[in-house]
C-alpha cells in the first residue's frame, strides 16, 4: 500500500562512527527505516584484502558490535535497516546477522545485495579500461579490487521481498535512502525529478553528524551545544519528495540552515549535475527553510536521466609508507627541528624518490608557502614536531624512514623526544567506468 | 576583515580535487561574497595549496558559493604523503582570506 510519509534515520556516516546515535534513533526516533552508511572508497579495498585472507570475512569490522546492540530495538520497533556494511562480502555479513538473530532468538529476514564486485569480471574481460583520473591503462595497475557504485535496483528487490535487514556492498550513498522512498511511495524509477529530490534528501542525511552540527562546530563563530551526546538526523519524507530533517529530542547538536547548507554542498563537484547511478540530480533548485527548532524543510531539487555507466573504484597496490616523528621544545625548537629535517633529507635522498618533511605546529597542514603567509613568529612556538614520510616499494625499505628518525636520539640535534615510527601498506584508489548493462544486482534472502 | 568573521566553509575531496563551500552567516552578505570572492582571488589566495584550475559555482537558492579546486591534494586522497590526506582542514585556509566589509 502506498504511503504518504516515511521516516528514515541515519545512524552512522562512516565506518568508524559512534555506535549509540543509531541506538537512540532506533529506540526513540519512531523510524520506519534506519540507514548506516559505513563504506568509504578505500574501506572496500581494505575489506577485499581481509576477504582474500579469510573467505568468511571482508565485511565491516564493527558489524557484529553494531548489529548486536541494534537488533532487539529494530525488531521491537519494526524498523528496517539498510546498510552498506557488507563491504566486500555482503553474504558473509548477512550470515553473521542471522547467527546473531538466532543467538538472540529473534525472527528475521536478511537480504544480501551483491553484484558490485567487478574484480574478476574486469580481469577476464577483453575490454580496454582507461583510468578516469589520469587516462592511463588499467592494465598498468596492480589491482586488488574493483567495485562498482550500484544504485537502487538490488535494495528495491530486497524491499519487495520484505527483508528487514538489507546489507549491501558498494552502493552509491544516496541510493541507500532513495530505495525505500521509491518502494514506499511507488515512485517510477524513470521519474527523475522525484529521484533527484530523494537524492538530495539522501545526500543531506548520509554524513549523519555533519548535518546535526557535529563537524560544523567551532566554539567562537559556530558554537554547538552537546557535542559529546551528538544526535544523528532523521527525515520525515513525503510522497511529493519534500522532507523535514530533524533529530531526536534531548540529543546534542543542532540542525540549522547553516548546517544543512554545509552538508548540501559537501563533496559536490558540480551542483548542477550530481551524478549517482539512479539519477543526475540538480542541487541548484533545492530550497531549504528553517521551520522550527532543529527542523529544516527541504523542497525542490530536480533531476535528469541516469548515466549509462557505473563508476567503479579500483583499489591497487600503491606503495609502502614509512613515517617517523620527533618533537622539539623550548629555545629555538623550530631551528633544531629544521636542522633535523635537513639531516634526514640528506640521509634519505639516496634511497627515496619521494619523501616529505613536515613541521607539525608550523606548516604541516596548510603547506609551507601558505603557512608562511600566516606570519607566525617561529621563535615563539613552544614546541614543534618533525614528521618525515616516504614512499617505498617494500616494507623493509619503508622502515628506513622511522629508523633514521629514531637515530636522531644520539646523533642529534639536541633534545629531540617522543619518536614514533610507522609502516603502512598503502592502497590507492582510482576509477573506471563500466557499461551499466554489464553488471546486475543480485539478492540473496536468508531467514532466522 | 577576515572571511571567517562573516562566512563558514567545509572542505570535501574527490581524488585530487578539493571542494570548498562558502556560506555567509547572514544571507544578505551573499552578494558581497559574489563580488569579492572570485575564483581568481581564491586562486591567488590558495597559491601553494591549489595547483590546478578553480571553478566557482554560484548557488543563489541557498545563498552560497562553491569552489571546485583541481590538483589540490598532493596527488590525491589515497596516495598523498600529507598528514591530512583529505584536505579536510583546508576550509580554514579559505577562511583566512581578507574581505573589505562595510556594514551600511
Amino acid at each position: 500500500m502506498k504511503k504518504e510519509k516515511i521516516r528514515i534515520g541515519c545512524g552512522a556516516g562512516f565506518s568508524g562512527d559512534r555506535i549509540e546515535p543509531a541506538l537512540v534513533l532506533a529506540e526513540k526516533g519512531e523510524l520506519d527505516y534506519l540507514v548506516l552508511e559505513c563504506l568509504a572508497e578505500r574501506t572496500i579495498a581494505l575489506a577485499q584484502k581481509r576477504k582474500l585472507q579469510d573467505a568468511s570475512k571482508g565485511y565491516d569490522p564493527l558489524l557484529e558490535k553494531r548489529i548486536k546492540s541494534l537488533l532487539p530495538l529494530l525488531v521491537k520497533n519494526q524498523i528496517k535497516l539498510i546498510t552498506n556494511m557488507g563491504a566486500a562480502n555482503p553474504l558473509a555479513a548477512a550470515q553473521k546477522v542471522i547467527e546473531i538473530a538466532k543467538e538472540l532468538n529473534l525472527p528475521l529476514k536478511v537480504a544480501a545485495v551483491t553484484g558490485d564486485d567487478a574484480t574478476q569480471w574486469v580481469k577476464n574481460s577483453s575490454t580496454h579500461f582507461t583510468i578516469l583520473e589520469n587516462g592511463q591503462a588499467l592494465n598498468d595497475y596492480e589491482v586488488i579490487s574493483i567495485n562498482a557504485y550500484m544504485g537502487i535496483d538490488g535494495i528495491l528487490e530486497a524491499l519487495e521481498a520484505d527483508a528487514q535487514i538489507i546489507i549491501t556492498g558498494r552502493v552509491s550513498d544516496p541510493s541507500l535512502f532513495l530505495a525505500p522512498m521509491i518502494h514506499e511511495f511507488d515512485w517510477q524509477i524513470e521519474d527523475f525529478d522525484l529521484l533527484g529530490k530523494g537524492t538530495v534528501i539522501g545526500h543531506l542525511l548520509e554524513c549523519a553528524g555533519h548535518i546535526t552540527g557535529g563537524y560544523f562546530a567551532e566554539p567562537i563563530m559556530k558554537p554547538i551545544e552537546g557535542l559529546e551526546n551528538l544526535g544523528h538526523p532523521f527525515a520525515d519524507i513525503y510522497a511529493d519528495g519534500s522532507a523535514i530533517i530533524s533529530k531526536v529530542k534531548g540529543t546534542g547538536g543542532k540542525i540549522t540552515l547553516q548546517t544543512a547548507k554545509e552538508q548540501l554542498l559537501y563533496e559536490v563537484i558540480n551542483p548542477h549535475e550530481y551524478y549517482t547511478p539512479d539519477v543526475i540530480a540538480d542541487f541548484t533548485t533545492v530550497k531549504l527553510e528553517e521551520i522550527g527548532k532543529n527542523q529544516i524543510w527541504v523542497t525542490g531539487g530536480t533531476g535528469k536521466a541516469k548515466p549509462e555507466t557505473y563508476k567503479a573504484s579500483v583499489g591497487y597496490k600503491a606503495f609502502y609508507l614509512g613515517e617517523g616523528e620527533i618533537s622539539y621544545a623550548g629555545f629555538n625548537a623550530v631551528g633544531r627541528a629544521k636542522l633535523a629535517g635537513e639531516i634526514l633529507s640528506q640521509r634519505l635522498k639516496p634511497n627515496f624518490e619521494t619523501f616529505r618533511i613536515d613541521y607539525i605546529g608550523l606548516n604541516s597542514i596548510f603547506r609551507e608557502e601558505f603557512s608562511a603567509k600566516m606570519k607566525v613568529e617561529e621563535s615563539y612556538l613552544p614546541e614543534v614536531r618533525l614528521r618525515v614520510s616516504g614512499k617505498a616499494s617494500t616494507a623493509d625499505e619503508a622502515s628506513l624512514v622511522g629508523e633514521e628518525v629514531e637515530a636522531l636520539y644520539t646523533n642529534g640535534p639536541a633534545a629531540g623526544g617522543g619518536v614514533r615510527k610507522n609502516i603502512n601498506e598503502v592502497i590507492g584508489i582510482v576509477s573506471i567506468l563500466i557499461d551499466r548493462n554489464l553488471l546486475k544486482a543480485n539478492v540473496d534472502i536468508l531467514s532466522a | 576583515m577576515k572571511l571567517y568573521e562573516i562566512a563558514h566553509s567545509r572542505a570535501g575531496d574527490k581524488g585530487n580535487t578539493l571542494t570548498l563551500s562558502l556560506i555567509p552567516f547572514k544571507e544578505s552578505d551573499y552578494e558581497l561574497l559574489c563580488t569579492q570572492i572570485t575564483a581568481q582571488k581564491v586562486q591567488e589566495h590558495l597559491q601553494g595549496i591549489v595547483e590546478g584550475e578553480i571553478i566557482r559555482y554560484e548557488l543563489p537558492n541557498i545563498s552560497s558559493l562553491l569552489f571546485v579546486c583541481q590538483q589540490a591534494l598532493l596527488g590525491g586522497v589515497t596516495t598523498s604523503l600529507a598528514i591530512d590526506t583529505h584536505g579536510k582542514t583546508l576550509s580554514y585556509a579559505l577562511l583566512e582570506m581578507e574581505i573589505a566589509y562595510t556594514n551600511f
Side-chain angles (χ1 to χ4, degrees):
Chain A
M1 199 174 61
K2 193 180 150 186
K3 283 192 185 165
E4 283 306 309
K5 188 197 96 177
I6 56 168
R7 181 175 284 188
I8 305 180
C10 180
F14 80 111
S15 67
D17 214 333
R18 288 179 189 155
I19 304 274
E20 80 274 7
L23 298 177
V24 173
L25 278 169
E27 195 183 348
K28 300 176 183 165
E30 295 173 34
L31 303 182
D32 298 304
Y33 290 88
L34 176 66
V35 172
L36 302 176
E37 196 290 287
C38 295
L39 198 55
E41 272 194 318
R42 190 146 53 167
T43 326
I44 199 156
L46 296 169
Q48 288 272 20
K49 275 183 72 182
R50 289 199 302 276
K51 187 183 170 185
L52 285 176
Q53 282 157 7
D54 178 347
S56 71
K57 294 281 181 335
Y59 52 82
D60 188 288
L62 284 179
L63 174 115
E64 243 182 292
K65 206 169 168 182
R66 289 193 198 275
I67 295 292
K68 267 190 181 159
S69 53
L70 266 175
L71 206 49
L73 289 169
L74 296 176
V75 171
K76 180 177 149 228
N77 295 330
Q78 295 185 312
I79 301 165
K80 291 189 174 180
L81 175 72
I82 304 175
T83 178
N84 52 16
M85 276 194 289
N89 204 347
L91 199 56
Q95 282 158 350
K96 180 50 87 178
V97 174
I98 289 291
E99 199 183 302
I100 295 167
K102 282 181 178 163
E103 272 170 31
L104 298 172
N105 211 10
L106 298 167
L108 200 66
K109 203 184 224 188
V110 182
V113 178
T114 51
D116 60 301
D117 188 344
T119 317
Q120 280 315 315
W121 181 85
V122 169
K123 279 183 176 172
N124 296 336
S125 158
S126 56
T127 314
H128 175 84
F129 288 96
T130 309
I131 304 294
L132 282 183
E133 287 82 359
N134 56 25
Q136 287 177 13
L138 179 67
N139 292 340
D140 296 344
Y141 284 79
E142 202 176 332
V143 172
I144 297 167
S145 63
I146 301 173
N147 290 82
Y149 282 84
M150 305 292 278
I152 46 176
D153 312 1
I155 306 172
L156 280 178
E157 198 182 320
L159 287 168
E160 277 151 25
D162 207 26
Q164 192 173 0
I165 311 278
I166 299 170
I167 303 182
T168 73
R170 171 54 76 212
V171 167
S172 119
D173 296 347
S175 308
L176 300 167
F177 299 86
L178 183 58
M181 297 179 214
I182 293 170
H183 176 72
E184 298 284 8
F185 299 139
D186 223 359
W187 286 352
Q188 299 303 302
I189 56 165
E190 304 285 315
D191 189 335
F192 294 111
D193 268 342
L194 278 175
L195 266 53
K197 292 179 206 303
T199 296
V200 167
I201 298 162
H203 178 70
L204 285 169
L205 292 172
E206 71 179 70
C207 293
H210 266 190
I211 198 166
T212 54
Y215 204 62
F216 170 87
E218 190 283 315
I220 296 172
M221 299 306 297
K222 305 191 287 178
I224 300 284
E225 306 264 307
L227 289 177
E228 72 289 348
N229 179 33
L230 187 71
H232 282 187
F234 62 72
D236 283 331
I237 303 156
Y238 297 88
D240 67 354
S242 66
I244 295 169
I245 299 192
S246 191
K247 67 186 185 69
V248 174
K249 282 202 173 67
T251 58
K254 205 173 170 183
I255 303 177
T256 66
L257 263 185
Q258 291 166 3
T259 66
K261 287 176 182 179
E262 270 200 15
Q263 176 55 27
L264 184 67
L265 295 179
Y266 178 64
E267 286 189 334
V268 173
I269 296 292
N270 178 349
H272 299 280
E273 293 188 335
Y274 183 83
Y275 273 70
T276 81
D278 310 311
V279 62
I280 301 173
D282 187 345
F283 286 6
T284 64
T285 52
V286 175
K287 294 263 185 283
L288 302 171
E289 199 181 322
E290 208 164 317
I291 54 167
K293 193 185 170 198
N294 293 316
Q295 281 195 316
I296 295 293
W297 188 33
V298 186
T299 54
T302 41
K304 55 187 179 188
K306 60 183 175 252
E308 294 295 316
T309 47
Y310 285 128
K311 189 177 114 174
S313 282
V314 179
Y316 67 94
K317 285 189 178 180
F319 55 87
Y320 285 85
L321 170 72
E323 281 178 300
E325 293 182 6
I326 186 166
S327 284
Y328 297 88
F331 170 68
N332 200 18
V334 173
R336 280 178 284 134
K338 287 194 168 170
L339 175 56
E342 281 164 31
I343 296 166
L344 290 171
S345 292
Q346 288 183 42
R347 293 189 60 86
L348 291 173
K349 206 175 276 172
N351 294 299
F352 288 86
E353 212 170 288
T354 315
F355 65 95
R356 183 180 167 83
I357 309 251
D358 288 301
Y359 299 94
I360 298 174
L362 189 65
N363 62 15
S364 65
I365 297 297
F366 285 170
R367 300 164 204 169
E368 210 167 349
E369 190 181 339
F370 191 91
S371 302
K373 278 200 298 196
M374 293 181 73
K375 296 187 186 108
V376 175
E377 284 295 334
E378 291 184 8
S379 57
Y380 290 149
L381 281 185
E383 61 180 61
V384 64
R385 189 162 175 81
L386 168 72
R387 171 184 179 262
V388 187
S389 50
K391 294 184 181 182
S393 50
T394 66
D396 252 14
E397 285 168 45
S399 68
L400 190 62
V401 178
E403 286 162 13
E404 282 291 343
V405 173
E406 191 168 34
L408 299 175
Y409 267 150
T410 52
N411 294 289
V419 170
R420 297 277 186 282
K421 42 184 191 172
N422 176 44
I423 307 166
N424 197 12
E425 186 186 359
V426 174
I427 295 170
I429 301 286
V430 286
S431 319
I432 56 171
L433 294 176
I434 300 175
D435 182 341
R436 69 182 299 142
N437 299 313
L438 298 175
L439 293 180
K440 205 181 165 307
N442 184 56
V443 179
D444 288 286
I445 304 285
L446 289 77
S447 297
Chain B
M1 188 181 254
K2 293 274 196 182
L3 210 41
Y4 56 71
E5 294 178 68
I6 62 160
H8 56 108
S9 169
R10 179 179 296 151
D13 59 275
K14 280 269 186 295
N16 200 12
T17 303
L18 167 73
T19 66
L20 296 167
S21 57
L22 187 63
I23 305 159
F25 289 115
K26 287 189 274 175
E27 294 198 335
S28 54
D29 284 339
Y30 173 63
E31 287 302 324
L32 182 81
L33 294 183
C34 286
T35 315
Q36 288 197 39
I37 313 301
T38 60
Q40 195 193 340
K41 285 265 186 63
V42 173
Q43 192 104 45
E44 286 163 21
H45 175 71
L46 294 180
Q47 208 179 335
I49 295 178
V50 177
E51 285 162 22
E53 189 195 1
I54 296 179
I55 297 173
R56 185 181 88 169
Y57 291 100
E58 292 169 22
L59 290 103
N61 57 319
I62 53 164
S63 304
S64 304
L65 295 173
L66 176 69
F67 297 90
V68 178
C69 316
Q70 307 291 337
Q71 297 167 52
L73 296 173
L74 298 168
V77 174
T78 52
T79 53
S80 142
L81 284 179
I83 293 184
D84 174 20
T85 51
H86 296 86
K88 286 187 177 289
T89 50
L90 297 175
S91 50
Y92 276 88
L94 176 65
L95 294 176
E96 278 293 316
M97 247 176 120
E98 287 287 343
I99 182 162
Y101 190 78
T102 34
N103 201 357
F104 293 106

